[in-house]
Amino acid sequence: MNSTAEPTAMVGVPTGAVDVWLEDLSADDALYAYFREILDADEKTKAMRFVHETHRRQYIISHGKLRAILASYLGMAPATISFTIAAYGKPHLTGKAAALKFNLSHSGDKMAVAVGGYDYLGVDIEVWNSGMDLSGAAKTCFGDSEQATWHTATGQEKLAVFYQLWTRKESFLKAVGMGMTLEAAKVITATEGEPRFLSLPEGYPTHEWKLIDLKFGHGLSAALTVKAPDRPPINLKQWAKP
């Protein structure tokens, strides 16, 4: 494991802060065509593999908008941005842009992008879905204290508690970029007080990781995990069509 370090300073990103962009996965025909055009060959190939048009559009919009957002920091054309894919599928910027770190998450008709200078940065966003097997997921992925808190909740609060805990776990897993090789059940967070990790998989000391709940309103949960000495300030952003 790398030691905890201060983030690299980048133009457009306040030192020590993280920008979080909350975006809709919607676009008119002209903007959709623009997003599709700025994707690289691999992204276009992946987009065409989606059977359902809705999923294809969401992929193209999310990845096109990601490029547009990153371009606003890098001062380069969105289509010229290049990525490398780590062993477990997490993308990173290449070349001179590599110091800028980011993470993308999308659910339903929403997407979130976290951008900063921290080496380990993860965001997860989830649109509440009462049709999901919440009980089975909670039994498999929640610790004892988390399950107890979830079981005592009722009505809409039960959905809110589930997705708050779920996004916290996912944001950590996305931050370390290890995919499902790490068990979500080993990521345990406090159910009272300030958001924090109580337990993490072996090799990940809890004091090195900061957890932030992102408040985006009813029906939507999100969380951010950063490997940092202190809890970073969060700047909420929204992309504006040129």
Side-chain angles (χ1 to χ4, degrees), residues 5-10 13-14 16-18 99-101 115-121:
E6 292 287 351
T8 305
M10 289 292 298
V13 181
V18 176
L100 185 67
K101 310 301 179 182
V115 182
Y118 294 95
D119 286 337
Y120 295 90
L121 183 65

Side-chain angles (χ1 to χ4, degrees), residues 52-72:
H52 299 291
E53 176 64 18
T54 298
H55 297 156
R56 184 181 302 117
R57 287 187 66 91
Q58 289 176 339
Y59 178 90
I60 289 172
I61 294 170
S62 63
H63 285 255
K65 193 171 282 190
L66 170 65
R67 283 179 170 273
I69 288 170
L70 295 177
S72 70

Side-chain angles (χ1 to χ4, degrees), residues 22-33:
L22 175 65
E23 304 290 337
D24 291 328
L25 287 178
S26 60
D28 59 28
D29 290 344
L31 187 57
Y32 179 71

Side-chain angles (χ1 to χ4, degrees), residues 66-87:
L66 170 65
R67 283 179 170 273
I69 288 170
L70 295 177
S72 70
Y73 294 94
L74 300 172
M76 56 194 299
T80 64
I81 295 174
S82 61
F83 302 96
T84 183
I85 307 300

Side-chain angles (χ1 to χ4, degrees), residues 6 53 57 75 85 99 112-113 120 122-123 135 138 153 172 190 231 237:
E6 292 287 351
E53 176 64 18
R57 287 187 66 91
I85 307 300
V113 180
Y120 295 90
V123 67
S135 180
F172 173 79
R231 188 182 301 271
K237 301 278 190 175

Side-chain angles (χ1 to χ4, degrees), residues 111-222:
M111 64 177 279
V113 180
V115 182
Y118 294 95
D119 286 337
Y120 295 90
L121 183 65
V123 67
D124 188 59
I125 187 170
E126 298 289 343
V127 174
W128 298 358
N129 178 9
S130 59
M132 180 179 172
D133 180 13
L134 304 184
S135 180
K139 184 176 181 180
T140 301
C141 299
F142 287 3
D144 291 343
S145 60
E146 293 171 326
Q147 287 196 47
T149 299
W150 180 70
H151 280 298
T152 57
T154 58
Q156 288 292 296
E157 183 188 7
K158 206 172 187 69
L159 275 173
V161 170
F162 176 88
Y163 279 106
Q164 179 183 64
L165 296 173
W166 183 269
T167 55
R168 289 175 173 184
K169 293 171 185 287
E170 286 291 323
S171 70
F172 173 79
L173 296 176
K174 295 188 68 183
V176 299
M178 294 292 288
M180 296 309 293
T181 61
L182 296 178
E183 296 179 35
K186 293 183 177 180
V187 180
I188 308 299
T189 68
T191 57
E192 296 181 342
E194 195 77 10
R196 68 191 187 281
F197 293 109
L198 299 180
S199 179
L200 291 171
E202 185 177 357
Y204 298 90
T206 56
H207 71 274
E208 292 186 353
W209 300 87
K210 300 300 178 285
L211 174 64
I212 300 101
D213 288 336
L214 302 172
K215 304 298 185 181
F216 291 142
H218 183 78
L220 190 63
S221 294

